[in-house]
Amino acid sequence: QLGKHFWPDFAFVAGIRVDYLSPTLYLTDVLLLLLFAAYCRERGGKKWGIYSKQLWPLVYRNILAVLGVSAVVVGVMTSPTPLVSIVMAVRVGEIIFFAFCTKRFIGQARKNTTILAVALLGSIFYESVLVILQFFRQGSLGGIWYFLGERAMVPTTPGAALAPLGGVLYLRAYGTFSHPNVLAGFLLVSLCIVALLYERVNAGGKVFLQKASPLLLLVLLAFVFTLSRIALSLLMVLFFSVVIVYRQRLLRFIKSEKEKKRKIRVVAFSLLVMIITASVLPLLIFRYTAPDFMGDSLKERVVLARAAVQLTLSYPIYGVGLGQFIPSLPTVFHAVTNSILQPVHSIFLLVLSE
């Protein structure tokens, strides 16, 4: 989240400043720009004639990508606020370029997969430490953490994500993310990626990941402190799905040749199941039976979903334009408030409407 925000006229909707529409130069943008420059320099020695001969076959093989880019271009051209759409298109382009570079990096050498897995695991662990400290402090830590993306947050901050537990409102941990749900998504998806990369890392990487596995309990604790209903539910489903699908491999792992190792592995696996069940299940019961479960948050999501459907029906061909969902909300509602000026909580409805 470390970046410089700019506030042109199009970042205001009905006189209200909207962070989502603010063009922002992040530190990650600078790093991606350097990566792009390095990539162009590497490819600069290639003759353009080679690319021109491969252009049409390339277009034919990637027809869906070409249609997607064409749709974005048309969306920018027909957008009521082209500058907003251009900024959003640049963001999408950055993500695609980074994904392309990551795939290429992994494919170059086996050790690169190890580097990626270790780096990702390192970010998971430092994020988990920050989350645990934030939850017990019930607020942000400040200091050096600000430059890593943490933002000032206390339970009394307007719009802060709170959750009732045992009749007491607790501030949900944000880490260095914009919302606890985003943090929980990062932890869950990143752990899945590291698990999938495990089979592709070199021998040294496997040893490191195995030695670091006890620290997963730290990650689990941080995950619990996000108090995210959907993420905690997915964690339970994912954990027991993995146990069921890979039960044969788990049994082979537990059935070690040495009796001592077998007992240790049985105890360790049993403790892991008990810890996950005992820590996550009660929280899920609390969160799903909380008085605010059917409160304002759910109502806002339903209202935004209806707005997305209405905008889609009003602009069925080209949509309202890339990044134009929020600026288009005043055409749906007679009066808009600060809380309603946010994207619809469904990526599918958002893409469909824009």
Side-chain angles (χ1 to χ4, degrees):
Q1 294 192 110
L2 182 60
K4 171 64 178 175
H5 288 259
F6 300 92
W7 300 101
D9 291 340
F10 61 75
F12 293 78
V13 177
I16 301 173
R17 192 171 74 171
V18 181
D19 289 359
Y20 297 104
L21 303 178
S22 169
T24 308
L25 180 65
Y26 292 101
L27 176 60
T28 47
D29 294 327
V30 177
L31 296 176
L32 282 170
L33 184 61
L34 293 174
L35 180 63
F36 183 71
Y39 177 78
C40 290
R41 183 179 179 181
E42 179 187 345
R43 291 294 179 180
K46 304 284 185 179
K47 293 183 178 180
W48 286 106
I50 298 175
Y51 289 112
S52 63
K53 292 178 182 179
Q54 298 176 351
L55 180 61
W56 288 112
L58 187 66
V59 170
Y60 178 75
R61 288 197 304 269
N62 299 277
I63 188 65
L64 289 177
V66 172
L67 289 174
V69 172
S70 302
V72 170
V73 172
V74 172
V76 171
M77 293 174 62
T78 59
S79 171
T81 316
L83 288 176
V84 173
S85 298
I86 290 172
V87 171
M88 295 299 176
V90 170
R91 288 275 174 246
V92 173
E94 283 183 337
I95 294 170
I96 294 172
F97 171 70
F98 185 65
F100 167 76
C101 288
T102 303
K103 181 182 178 182
R104 188 166 173 267
F105 178 74
I106 292 175
Q108 284 177 342
R110 192 180 183 89
K111 68 175 184 179
N112 289 351
T113 306
T114 304
I115 293 171
L116 181 65
V118 172
L120 190 56
L121 195 62
S123 67
I124 294 170
F125 286 148
Y126 103 75
E127 197 74 42
S128 299
V129 171
L130 176 60
V131 165
I132 293 169
L133 293 175
Q134 283 179 343
F135 187 81
F136 282 110
R137 184 186 175 91
Q138 280 297 286
S140 54
L141 303 183
I144 188 64
W145 294 105
Y146 174 86
F147 297 98
L148 294 175
E150 187 194 46
R151 289 296 170 263
M153 189 69 64
V154 292
T156 55
T157 302
L162 306 174
L165 289 176
V168 179
L169 279 177
Y170 287 93
L171 177 68
R172 298 166 60 190
Y174 278 71
T176 60
F177 289 85
S178 58
H179 195 276
N181 289 346
V182 183
L183 166 64
F186 164 77
L187 293 175
L188 184 61
V189 173
S190 297
L191 281 175
C192 291
I193 293 174
V194 172
L196 291 171
L197 291 177
Y198 178 78
E199 296 297 332
R200 299 184 59 179
V201 302
N202 56 28
K206 280 186 170 65
V207 172
F208 176 82
L209 293 177
Q210 288 171 4
K211 289 183 176 179
S213 58
L215 293 175
L216 290 176
L217 293 176
L218 191 71
V219 181
L220 175 62
L221 186 60
F223 196 87
V224 167
F225 287 158
T226 65
L227 299 174
S228 172
R229 294 187 188 100
I230 184 66
L232 289 169
S233 302
L234 285 173
L235 177 65
M236 292 290 289
V237 172
L238 183 65
F239 176 74
F240 288 107
S241 297
V242 168
V243 171
I244 293 171
V245 172
Y246 294 100
R247 59 186 181 278
Q248 297 297 334
R249 295 180 66 174
L250 285 170
L251 287 172
R252 284 198 300 270
F253 175 74
I254 292 174
K255 291 179 180 178
S256 172
E257 295 180 1
K258 297 181 179 180
E259 183 69 22
K260 186 177 180 180
K261 281 188 176 181
R262 184 185 306 131
K263 289 180 179 179
I264 291 173
R265 289 176 177 179
V266 169
V267 171
F269 182 74
S270 301
L271 282 174
L272 182 63
V273 174
M274 289 171 61
I275 290 171
I276 290 179
T277 305
S279 60
V280 176
L281 199 58
L283 277 176
L284 283 176
I285 295 172
F286 268 119
R287 294 290 284 133
Y288 280 107
T289 57
D292 70 329
F293 177 56
M294 299 295 286
D296 294 337
S297 178
L298 183 61
K299 291 177 182 177
E300 284 180 0
R301 295 178 189 218
V302 172
V303 167
L304 289 169
R306 288 176 178 171
V309 172
Q310 187 172 336
L311 289 172
T312 302
L313 295 175
S314 300
Y315 304 91
I317 306 299
Y318 299 117
V320 294
L322 195 62
Q324 295 298 313
F325 179 82
I326 296 176
S328 300
L329 287 177
T331 65
V332 178
F333 305 112
H334 296 295
V336 293
T337 59
N338 191 35
S339 61
I340 206 68
L341 290 175
Q342 56 180 305
V344 59
H345 291 229
S346 166
I347 190 63
F348 306 106
L349 288 177
L350 185 62
V351 171
L352 190 65
S353 61
E354 292 189 350

